[in-house]
Amino acid sequence: VFPCSTKLSDLHRALAPAGGIILKNDSGHKEAKNWEVLLEEHMKETIKTIGLTDGCSVLILDSHDQR
């Protein structure tokens, strides 16, 4: 659990210290088309400003998974 004021860069560092990408899904549906990649420019924003709320899913892909 992270407070809504947590910067995405801090979340990324805590959950994927070796790199990788973060995807979010706020639709509740797990199909591939519902996942949004959070880009480098999002890293300065907070969890709240990028729209992560209760019920959202976050997927962290390891840099090794990006092949």
Side-chain angles (χ1 to χ4, degrees):
V1 175
F2 293 89
C4 64
S5 61
T6 302
K7 286 188 179 178
L8 194 56
S9 59
D10 295 333
L11 178 77
H12 187 260
R13 202 169 21 260
L15 299 177
I21 60 171
I22 299 176
L23 297 98
K24 77 170 187 166
N25 182 336
D26 54 12
S27 71
H29 301 285
K30 303 304 181 211
E31 294 88 24
K33 66 181 178 180
N34 295 314
W35 290 93
E36 176 187 348
V37 175
L38 297 174
L39 304 171
E40 190 65 34
E41 59 255 22
H42 293 118
M43 294 299 146
K44 296 177 185 170
E45 298 184 49
T46 65
I47 290 173
K48 183 177 182 176
T49 59
I50 61 164
L52 288 176
T53 59
D54 288 346
C56 290
S57 298
V58 174
L59 175 64
I60 309 259
L61 292 179
D62 187 301
S63 58
H64 299 298
D65 293 336
Q66 297 179 36
R67 295 183 230 176

